[in-house]
Each structure stands twice: as C-alpha cells, then as structure tokens.
Amino acid sequence: MNGSEPTEDGLDTDAAGMAEEDRYHLRLYVAGQTSKSLTAMANLKRFCEEHLAGHYDIEVIDLMKNPQLAAGDQILAIPTLVRRLPAPLKRIIGDLSNTEKVLVGLDIRPQNLPEKNPAAKADGV
Amino acid sequence: MASEPASPPEGTPKSPSTGAPAVAKVATGIDGFDTITFGGLPKGRPSLVCGAAGCGKTLFATTFLVNGATRFGEPGVFMSFEERAEDLVANVASLGYDLDGLVAQGKLAIDHVRVERSEIEETGEYDLEGLFIRLGFAVDSIGAKRIVLDTIETLFAGFSDETVLRAELRRLFGWIKDRGLTAIITGERGDGQLTRQGMEEYVSDCVVLLDNRVEDQITTRRLRVVKYRGSAHGTNEYPFLIDAEGISVLPVTAADLDYTIAEGVASTGIPGLDAMLEPGGFHRGTSILVSGESGTGKTMITSSMIGAACARGERCMSFVFEESGDQIIRNARSIGLDLARHVEAGLLRFEAARPSLYGLEMHLARMHRDIDRFAPSVVVVDPLSALRGPPAELQATMLRMVDMLKSRGITAIFTSLREDGSLDHDSNFGVSSLMDAWIKLLNVEANGERSRTLYVIKARGMRHSNQVREFSMSGDGIALVEAYIGPAGVLTGTARIVQEAEEAAAVLRREQESRRRRREAERRRHSLERQIDELRATLEAAAEEEAVLLSEDEMREAMLTSERRILSTRRGGTQ
C-alpha cells in the first residue's frame, strides 16, 4: 500500500442494489508513512471489508504531499478518518484500533452490525 | 500608533544591554508596549499573552500581526481556534484593519481551526501532526515570520488524551522555535495560575498578562509583563487602551525630572495679567493652575490663553470634562474670542469626555495618546478637579500627567474648582505644589454685588505682582481693573468706586484747606512786613531828629566859643 498516492480504492462493482445515500464515502488523512498511518490504513481496509463491503469509497490523503488539503476538513489530529457521506460529516481520529468506537463514530446502524457482519459480502451481492 | 515611544519607562533598568548580547526582539508596533519591553517580543520565540475573557488578547495578537505585515514587512499567520475568519475580519475592521486586503496581498494568512468535541471520535493512537502541517503550510505559503495561536487551549476541550496533547504542545513550541517564528500564544486566565491549562509551563520566554478591572464601576485595562527571560522590562502594571485607534499601552509612570526646559515666555492673552508677571507672561512648558469656584471665570481665562496661543500659531489641545467643545467656543465668543477659527485651522482641538467615562488611568492614557498624535504646545485640562478616584491614585495620576506634559515641553493649564488647590475636600494633598504657577480667582461679595478678582499666588522663576486685581469680562475680552488699595483695605466693584469718590472728595477738601492756610500765612506775613516798614520809618524819623538836635548843639557850642573869643579880645585888647 502506497500512502503517497491519493487513491480511489472504492469498489464500484456492486452499486446496483444500494441507494446512493447509503454509500459510505470515507477519506483518510495521514502524514507520511508513520506507523500510526499504516496501522490506520490497515485497520480501515479490514473494517470496511468486514462491515461495508461494496458500499464504500476510500480516499487516502497524505498531508505531507498535499498540506493544503488539511484546512478543508479541519484536520488537526493524524490519522483522521472523515465520513463525507452519508451526512452528517463525522471525524474519527486515531489509528482505528478500537473497532467498536469506529462503528459508533461512523454511525453504522446497529441492525447491520451484529448479524450482518459475517454476511456482509452476501448482502452486497 | 504613529509616534515612536519617546523615552524608556522608569522604574526599570535604563537599558537592557550591559555588555551581554541582548535578546533579539521584534517590535509589535503597539504604542508603549515596545517601550516597556525595550523593543518588543523575543524574536523567534513564543510569547504568552493571557488574561480573562474580554481583556483584548485577540486584539493584541491581531495588532501584532497587522503591524508586522504593514509596518515591519513581516507576514503573519493567524491561527484561530475560537473565532471564524469572517468574524475576526469583521471584529477588527472597526479599527481600520483590513485583514481581507492583507490576505489578498499575501501578507497574512488566517486559518480557523474548529475543534468540535461532538464530531470527534477517538479510536486509538493519534498525534497532532495535522496541526503542524496546517501551520507549516500557512507559514510557507506567505513566508510568515509571525504567528498567532488564539486560543490554543481550546484543544483541551476537543481531545480527551491530555498526555498526548501536552506532549504535542511541547513539540509545537519547539517547532516554532526551530522555525524561528515569533509567536503569540493566547491563553484564558485560570484559577490560581495564569492560564487554565498551565500554558506558562511551555511558553517560558515572555509572559504578558492583560487585566480588566472594575473599580467604582469604572473599568480600567491593565497590562503587565510577568516575565521576560533574558531581558529587562517594565515591571509595573500599565494601563492600556482599546478604542477606534487600536491598542496602546502607556508607560506613564515617569519619575525622572531630567526633562529639558522649554525656553521663552508665552503671553496669556490678557494684557493686565501679563503685566502682573514680570516677563510679560508665563514661561513655556510650565504647568499653570487656575483655581476658583464655579462662575469665577476659569474657563474664560483659559480660553483667552488658548486664543493667544493659537493666534501665535501654536497648537492647542483642550481636554474638557464638563462642557462640550462647541459650548466653550460659543461662550468664548461672548468675550470676543473666535476659537472656532482655530479649530477649523487645525490648531485647536477639543477632547470632551465625561469624567466618569473611564477610570483615571484611562483618562491619562487617552490624553497621553492624543497628545502624542496631535503634538500640541499648549494643553488645557478643564477642570482637573473633575477627575475622581481613590486619593492615592489620584495624586499619582496627577503627578504623572504633569510630568508627562512637562517632559514634552508643553505648557499645561489646569483649572480646579477647589479654592485651596487640593483635589478633594477630604484630602490634604494638593496639586498646587506640582504647579509652577497658580492663579487664584475669587468672587468678592460685598454691598449686594459680586466682583471678580484674581491674584497670582505663585509663579516660579519670575517676579510677579502681589496684588489682588479686579477684572471684568466684556465683548472686548478680559480686562484687569486697577485695584483700589487704601487704608480701608482692598475694595472692589461699586465699593471701590464709592471709596474712590470719597477719596477724591477728601483730597479736594484737603487741598482747599491747605490753600486757605497758605493764604492765611501769607496775610500774616504781609502784615508783619507792613509793621516792619512802619517801624523802619519811625526809626528814620527819630534818626533825623537826632541829627537835627546834634547839629543844633554843635552850632550852639560854636557860637559860644566865638562869643567867648570876642569878649576876651575886647577885655585884653591883645592876645
């Protein structure tokens, strides 16, 4: 994973069944290849695959490369995950190691959580 | 803001430089502050400006940046943790600061950092690298030399991990120093310490405390340099002023008496009063007290002096506390003075304010600033006794006011309602000893009328009349009347006129009497002379008679002799 490229990692393959507003547009701000950044990226990938497979876009922004982007989303802490969509805007800071808090932070509906975790892929198909 | 601080404040070491390399400093451009810190804030280091809400921290910081950008060629970054950029721009627009314009010119960058706890979920380890990146980006984008973090303590409300936060702040201040940025960090006053989160722990080079105190329902802003590592600084609390002209700090506790003396004599504009003073007026640069009860004509006398000074082309500034400038102009017209002409010509300025509008310090501060800007050669404070405050403070303020004026070589004219020159009924001290000259006005009440009198109690450095003089005000101005001083005392008004008439009658009587006596004496002399003449005539007559008798005797003797000779011839025949 190369944090330097602002990547569009979203999987667009399965949008058919989803309303546009249900789609998660996430943006992860990091600053260089620090251990915290790498941990956060790995955690985010894993988490999205587990819970939001098929409903998400991830954008990774390296502020070392694009410092001008920090002000726009009011970034102070690194790493910060911003949920652009669905509204309202949410910010989650830290390396995303506390999954429970990430779920709360991203406001993933409880009914999706317990039973659909394993069935996330099936849901997406 | 225009004038450079003239002299260093007292009560502090004269100069910070005693051989050792002085701390490099960056001027804030804030009136007076650069004076008390001998140059400004420490260059390339963070300084803490703290105080309670509404003390002017943000304004102080903004002024620092704006002056840097406009006057010292040092662009600046304003990182606001509280106000939005738009609000900040609007708030300081009233001071004439065009932040948007400076941003457009690339001299200023404003970054609003919004910290909203409810929007932030913490899920593990993090640091504040984002803040560094934003700050670094803003600094690099305009080549900033100055930064302001207002108020960084807000971060403590946004993040729960205080350990991380403190470590990051320490890193931030280190980063500021490494980058050589001169920074102002603002902090809200906390319980028992200067700031709520103990920011003074991190920012140890320079700490400035702003204060806003209310005494007797009057607010006075004060500033104190709590510490300044590696530099001398004024240690007192200095009043400072925020108004439409921005912020100004007033190092007004000058205690030196080593000011140079302005030479020359200035006429008072009242010929009679000039005549009472040997040089024909007051020395320039002195302080003159005109005291008297209400209605004795203090303001008119000062107006005359103002009129005279303006007519000589000097600049005058009048601080009036009981009337408006227009009212004084109108009233002065009644004694034939046209002050409006001088106001229009820019020679005269009235600054009217109610005494209760500000505290003493603020009045002094305001005067200080106005005087620096207007640079008058004559200043009037009318009346001095309107200023109220705790006695000790009042005395100190007066002293500084007089000193401030003297050190600038300004002729100061104060009026006081107190006859004895004291400031207060209850206090023993007075301003009279601070004054170089003192004119006392007194309304003398007698015979059902009041007469205006004045006399010069003291006038340092000149001989002056010791007489009480009556004066009158008319359309031709103020005129002193020759005083009546006689055996019956000093009389004024109609009593003087009556007395003078009586005196004249008495003189006439005495003259007639003496003429009569002279005539008498003459007559007596004439009669004596006449007697002398008569006696002399008698004497002559007597002398003549005596001569006649004597010659008769001689003739008789001769006859007898010749008869005897004839007889003997006849008897003897021969002989």
Side-chain angles (χ1 to χ4, degrees):
Chain A
M1 194 156 18
N2 187 358
S4 62
E5 45 159 272
T7 46
E8 290 284 349
D9 271 32
L11 304 176
D12 293 333
T13 54
D14 54 352
M18 298 293 298
E20 189 57 31
E21 62 265 26
D22 283 345
R23 202 170 175 82
Y24 279 78
H25 188 112
L26 306 174
R27 200 179 265 180
L28 181 66
Y29 288 89
V30 295
Q33 306 282 343
T34 65
S35 63
K36 280 197 274 278
S37 300
L38 296 174
T39 313
M41 270 188 260
N43 282 338
L44 180 62
K45 274 257 159 71
R46 180 173 51 79
F47 173 86
C48 287
E49 283 304 315
E50 280 176 18
H51 301 287
L52 298 169
H55 309 291
Y56 68 94
D57 304 321
I58 296 177
E59 196 180 346
V60 177
I61 293 177
D62 186 351
L63 293 177
M64 287 297 189
K65 295 269 163 32
N66 298 293
Q68 73 279 8
L69 298 178
D73 268 330
Q74 286 292 347
I75 305 306
L76 286 180
I78 294 291
T80 296
L81 176 65
V82 175
R83 186 187 80 174
R84 310 271 302 170
L85 282 174
L89 194 117
K90 291 266 183 186
R91 283 190 194 82
I92 300 167
I93 63 171
D95 59 11
L96 308 177
S97 54
N98 186 333
T99 313
E100 218 168 286
K101 282 200 166 179
V102 176
L103 289 176
V104 174
L106 286 181
D107 196 18
I108 300 202
R109 278 168 305 240
Q111 64 263 32
N112 289 345
L113 298 181
E115 72 270 21
K116 296 211 173 156
N117 273 356
K121 269 190 177 138
D123 198 24
V125 174
Chain B
M1 215 146 290
S3 70
E4 284 303 310
S7 59
E10 70 331 316
T12 59
K14 277 289 176 224
S15 164
S17 61
T18 49
V23 175
K25 293 180 186 178
V26 169
T28 60
I30 293 171
D31 272 357
F33 183 78
D34 294 340
T35 313
I36 59 174
T37 53
F38 299 106
L41 296 172
K43 185 182 173 70
R45 286 158 188 272
S47 300
L48 179 63
V49 174
C50 50
C55 271
K57 299 184 292 290
T58 303
L59 187 63
F60 187 95
T62 312
T63 308
F64 166 71
L65 286 188
V66 170
N67 284 338
T70 56
R71 291 169 52 188
F72 305 111
E74 294 194 347
V77 171
F78 195 104
M79 193 165 244
S80 169
F81 294 82
E82 286 181 336
E83 288 178 286
R84 293 182 306 148
E86 307 88 277
D87 295 338
L88 191 68
V89 170
N91 291 350
V92 299
S94 59
L95 302 178
Y97 295 160
D98 177 17
L99 296 191
D100 281 337
L102 291 173
V103 170
Q105 293 167 39
K107 289 179 173 173
L108 185 70
I110 304 175
D111 191 359
H112 173 224
V113 176
R114 198 162 54 90
V115 183
E116 186 64 61
R117 185 61 186 265
S118 63
E119 290 180 0
I120 297 173
E121 193 68 47
E122 296 179 14
T123 66
E125 283 183 42
Y126 59 90
D127 56 37
L128 295 184
E129 188 63 28
L131 179 66
F132 286 75
I133 288 172
R134 282 170 77 166
L135 201 50
F137 173 70
V139 167
D140 292 339
S141 65
I142 58 168
K145 298 274 192 293
R146 302 178 174 208
I147 59 171
V148 167
L149 302 173
D150 178 52
T151 300
I152 201 165
E153 281 181 312
T154 314
L155 289 180
F156 284 89
F159 298 96
S160 60
D161 194 340
E162 207 171 290
T163 324
V164 169
L165 215 46
R166 291 195 179 276
E168 289 296 278
L169 284 182
R170 205 172 284 283
R171 186 159 75 94
L172 178 66
F173 297 133
W175 180 87
I176 288 171
K177 284 189 191 177
D178 289 344
R179 298 283 303 250
L181 297 166
T182 307
I184 287 184
I185 320 294
T186 63
E188 196 92 353
R189 186 112 199 222
D191 290 334
Q193 50 187 5
L194 292 175
T195 59
R196 273 189 199 149
Q197 305 296 341
M199 300 298 294
E200 57 270 27
E201 261 178 67
Y202 308 105
V203 185
S204 51
D205 290 302
C206 178
V207 178
V208 177
L209 183 62
L210 305 183
D211 192 14
N212 204 0
R213 240 174 293 161
V214 181
E215 277 164 22
D216 286 343
Q217 303 169 29
I218 288 171
T219 309
T220 308
R221 296 178 188 276
R222 289 164 212 264
L223 174 149
R224 181 161 68 97
V225 179
V226 178
K227 78 180 206 180
Y228 199 140
R229 187 170 285 178
S231 167
H233 57 86
T235 51
N236 296 336
E237 276 195 313
Y238 300 95
F240 73 96
L241 199 61
I242 297 176
D243 63 7
E245 316 268 342
I247 195 166
S248 37
V249 183
L250 300 129
V252 283
T253 30
D256 303 347
L257 288 173
D258 57 356
Y259 36 74
T260 53
I261 297 172
E263 287 295 339
V265 170
S267 158
T268 60
I270 305 167
L273 185 54
D274 287 346
M276 290 176 78
L277 306 162
E278 189 206 48
F282 288 108
H283 287 304
R284 281 182 200 280
T286 56
S287 41
I288 301 156
L289 178 66
V290 180
S291 78
E293 287 168 11
S294 56
T296 46
K298 296 181 299 295
T299 303
M300 288 301 105
I301 289 206
T302 57
S303 296
S304 291
M305 292 165 91
I306 291 174
C310 287
R312 289 192 299 267
E314 294 173 20
R315 294 165 79 83
C316 294
M317 189 152 208
S318 185
F319 295 94
V320 287
F321 296 116
E322 289 182 344
E323 293 172 283
S324 72
D326 287 345
Q327 196 180 343
I328 290 182
I329 290 171
R330 187 201 62 197
N331 295 349
R333 211 169 284 141
S334 72
I335 58 164
L337 273 176
D338 181 13
L339 295 180
R341 173 168 63 98
H342 301 310
V343 172
E344 278 159 23
L347 285 173
L348 175 60
R349 208 168 113 196
F350 284 99
E351 284 291 332
R354 278 277 161 202
S356 55
L357 189 57
Y358 320 109
L360 273 178
E361 291 289 355
M362 289 299 264
H363 275 296
L364 187 58
R366 192 178 65 106
M367 289 172 65
H368 201 287
R369 193 203 53 203
D370 290 345
I371 287 168
D372 272 352
R373 302 222 171 119
F374 191 68
S377 60
V378 176
V379 164
V380 172
V381 179
D382 182 23
L384 190 62
S385 46
L387 296 173
R388 289 297 158 88
E393 199 182 325
L394 201 57
Q395 170 83 330
T397 307
M398 298 302 162
L399 182 70
R400 278 149 50 187
M401 189 188 291
V402 171
D403 270 350
M404 183 257 285
L405 293 167
K406 274 196 179 171
S407 62
R408 286 165 171 71
I410 296 170
T411 308
I413 305 162
F414 302 94
T415 66
S416 173
L417 279 168
R418 305 270 167 270
E419 244 184 80
D420 52 1
S422 71
L423 294 165
D424 213 309
H425 279 307
D426 309 328
S427 63
N428 292 324
F429 58 78
V431 286
S432 52
S433 64
L434 297 174
M435 301 294 166
D436 295 313
W438 184 2
I439 302 173
K440 192 158 164 178
L441 308 182
L442 203 58
N443 274 352
V444 176
E445 222 175 85
N447 299 335
E449 62 175 21
R450 302 202 307 162
S451 317
R452 301 176 190 281
T453 62
L454 68 76
Y455 58 104
V456 179
I457 292 190
K458 73 169 181 181
R460 284 181 186 152
M462 62 179 73
R463 279 213 301 269
H464 56 90
S465 163
N466 63 350
Q467 293 186 349
V468 176
R469 302 290 294 273
E470 186 181 352
F471 68 96
S472 65
M473 294 196 271
S474 68
D476 299 328
I478 296 175
L480 267 69
V481 182
E482 203 60 48
Y484 168 78
I485 304 158
V490 175
L491 295 176
T492 56
T494 48
R496 171 176 54 80
I497 294 165
V498 168
Q499 181 67 30
E500 278 172 0
E502 279 175 10
E503 195 107 321
V507 166
L508 193 65
R509 263 200 310 281
R510 274 201 307 278
E511 273 176 14
Q512 285 168 343
E513 179 73 7
S514 99
R515 267 205 298 279
R516 192 181 59 75
R517 272 203 297 270
R518 226 174 7 245
R519 278 199 303 274
E520 185 94 349
E522 208 166 327
R523 229 182 2 257
R524 217 176 299 139
R525 191 162 47 84
H526 282 311
S527 83
L528 279 175
E529 279 172 1
R530 259 199 314 280
Q531 287 176 12
I532 290 169
D533 286 347
E534 276 170 29
L535 283 173
R536 191 172 286 134
T538 316
L539 181 67
E540 278 170 13
E544 268 169 39
E545 200 167 330
E546 198 176 322
V548 169
L549 288 175
L550 200 62
S551 64
E552 277 178 3
D553 283 353
E554 280 173 4
M555 280 170 66
R556 200 178 304 127
E557 198 65 36
M559 225 158 19
L560 279 175
T561 309
S562 65
E563 277 174 12
R564 215 175 287 139
R565 204 183 295 134
I566 294 165
L567 276 178
S568 71
T569 313
R570 279 181 192 163
R571 263 185 224 139
T574 55
Q575 205 151 355

